[in-house]
Amino acid sequence: MTYRRAVLPAIAGGLLFTALLWWAGASAHALHLPGATGMLDGQAAAELERWLAPWSYDPPASLQLGTEVSGGTGDAAGTAGANYLALYTTALQIRFGAVFAFFIPGTLLLVRRLPPVHGRMPAALLAVWAWGLVAGTLAVTVSAPWLIASGGHGSYRFLPQLASIISSGRQVLVVTALVAAAVTVSIARVAAKGTGPLPHEAVPARAARLAATTGTAVIALSLVVLSYQPVAAALQSVSPDIGLFAEPGDLLRQWLLLGAWAGPGGTPLGDWLLYRAGDVLLLAVVWWTLRRLPGLLTRATVPAMATGAVCATVLGLLASQLLRVAVDGAGSALHWDLLHLSATIGNGVPAALTCGLVAGSAAALTLRVAVGRADIADAAPSGQGSDRPEGL
């Protein structure tokens, strides 16, 4: 699929994604209306408001009070407060602009290399959905410095504040990105009509399995080794004294760790194994996706494999988190309990981006080497018929 045909679906999906996030943020104040409080209890309304607040132009009350105190008295206080509120507005403008800017290139690459035609439609939908979560997380990240500065204490524990802001607003992304992905792939499916049969590479099955195993090993390093609580605690406690960028431990944890786990301890072994099933599910999703990805792509390039691995890791995280919500929420009849349990949905996307890029690049290079060796073996008379190519 050419870039000319893929650009319209990407732009349409980006505009819709940005508009949905703006609408969600603009609806946050509705939770204070009498009708909303009558339908939802106070705890549920407060939780939903916390989810929507990172996308709302209405500054939190703490920001307004903080600017009044730090600005002094009289006209000086009013001027300082207006400047801080302007910084908050600028942060939100950057955030929404960055959502659109980050959504376009990833979606463009995915739609071009993974066009939503017959046999590829579900894969394209899931990939664009996962990329929407990544785009939203990156947008929150690049706008965070302005948001921190709007609080009037940007030089105090800057990196821990940055880590805290990056982890916010992810629950809304899960829903809005899914809607935007459905519209994007639907438009891309129409745009792909009349282009004729799209090419795909014939990948030896052994090479695909080896590449998937290599990529999954990178994800397992973060999920199993780095996410082990003693190791994670060592990462989080890193705090070199380098001024504004001191105490990077929280930020390292955000971008390197896909989870957190410890031994059974006082937990029954059966319950501990049930929770570890989520980690197994994550690795299974990543391996199976990387195993199928070379045959689904029109061309298994390093950027396409790296982006696909990021999306696979995000999807694996969502699958594992939904499994844990189902386990924790079994037998719970209260909508507040389920809403509270769903607060973990969307965690780990920064780490999925970091580890997914490395895993996808490693898988692509492994695939290239393995395919090259298979071609050499096929060229030799004794190696003919040793591997069967895998297509769609």
Side-chain angles (χ1 to χ4, degrees):
M1 191 173 181
T2 63
Y3 280 117
R4 183 174 59 84
R5 289 180 177 270
V7 69
L8 178 60
I11 292 176
L15 289 173
L16 178 61
F17 188 32
T18 307
L20 287 174
L21 288 172
W22 178 87
W23 172 79
S27 303
H29 71 280
L31 295 171
H32 297 285
L33 298 177
T37 55
M39 184 176 62
L40 301 170
D41 60 73
Q43 288 181 317
E47 183 72 10
L48 285 174
E49 185 179 7
R50 187 176 65 84
W51 291 7
L52 298 176
W55 305 99
S56 174
Y57 270 94
D58 296 330
S62 59
L63 174 61
Q64 299 182 33
L65 293 175
T67 54
E68 290 176 5
V69 172
S70 63
T73 59
D75 294 338
T79 302
N83 290 335
Y84 284 124
L85 292 177
L87 276 174
Y88 183 87
T89 302
T90 301
L92 268 294
Q93 291 172 345
I94 293 173
R95 181 166 296 184
F96 286 111
V99 165
F100 181 78
F102 283 119
F103 185 83
I104 296 299
T107 304
L108 193 61
L109 177 63
L110 289 171
V111 170
R112 184 167 186 261
R113 293 299 182 195
L114 190 60
V117 294
H118 180 68
R120 291 168 169 160
M121 186 75 174
L125 174 62
L126 292 174
V128 176
W129 178 30
W131 182 255
L133 271 71
V134 175
T137 301
L138 290 174
V140 171
T141 303
V142 299
S143 63
W146 284 267
L147 203 65
I148 294 172
S150 70
H153 44 78
S155 61
Y156 175 71
R157 291 175 55 85
F158 175 75
L159 293 184
Q161 289 185 80
L162 181 62
S164 176
I165 290 176
I166 291 173
S167 64
S168 64
R170 59 189 182 274
Q171 299 89 353
V172 180
L173 292 172
V174 176
V175 179
T176 54
L178 180 58
V179 177
V183 173
T184 301
V185 297
S186 298
I187 298 175
R189 186 177 179 86
V190 175
K193 290 183 178 179
T195 59
L198 295 171
H200 64 85
E201 293 188 10
V203 181
R206 183 179 179 182
R209 288 193 297 268
L210 183 60
T213 303
T214 302
T216 306
V218 175
I219 302 301
L221 175 66
S222 171
L223 183 64
V224 178
V225 179
L226 298 182
S227 295
Y228 183 50
Q229 283 189 1
V231 181
L235 284 174
Q236 193 167 7
S237 62
V238 174
S239 57
D241 187 9
I242 48 177
L244 183 64
F245 298 103
E247 302 181 73
D250 290 338
L251 195 62
L252 286 174
R253 186 181 180 115
Q254 280 281 340
W255 290 91
L256 295 178
L257 274 60
L258 288 168
W261 69 279
T267 306
L269 181 61
D271 294 342
W272 183 83
L273 291 175
L274 190 60
Y275 272 90
R276 298 284 69 77
D279 298 334
V280 175
L281 178 61
L282 192 160
L283 294 177
V285 169
V286 171
W287 188 91
W288 184 84
T289 303
L290 292 179
R291 166 74 167 76
R292 296 289 300 161
L293 191 59
L296 290 171
L297 295 171
T298 57
R299 186 182 175 193
T301 61
V302 173
M305 287 290 293
T307 306
V310 171
C311 296
T313 309
V314 173
L315 292 172
L317 279 172
L318 290 176
S320 65
Q321 289 160 4
L322 287 174
L323 176 61
R324 283 172 184 157
V325 168
V327 171
D328 291 338
S332 175
L334 298 177
H335 64 277
W336 156 246
D337 289 341
L338 294 177
L339 188 64
H340 181 67
L341 292 172
S342 300
T344 60
I345 297 296
N347 279 343
V349 173
L353 175 61
T354 305
C355 300
L357 288 175
V358 177
S361 300
L365 295 176
T366 303
L367 182 68
R368 185 172 298 177
V369 172
V371 170
R373 290 180 178 176
D375 292 340
I376 294 175
D378 288 341
S382 59
Q384 291 181 352
S386 59
D387 255 344
R388 297 185 63 182
E390 178 188 276
L392 284 175

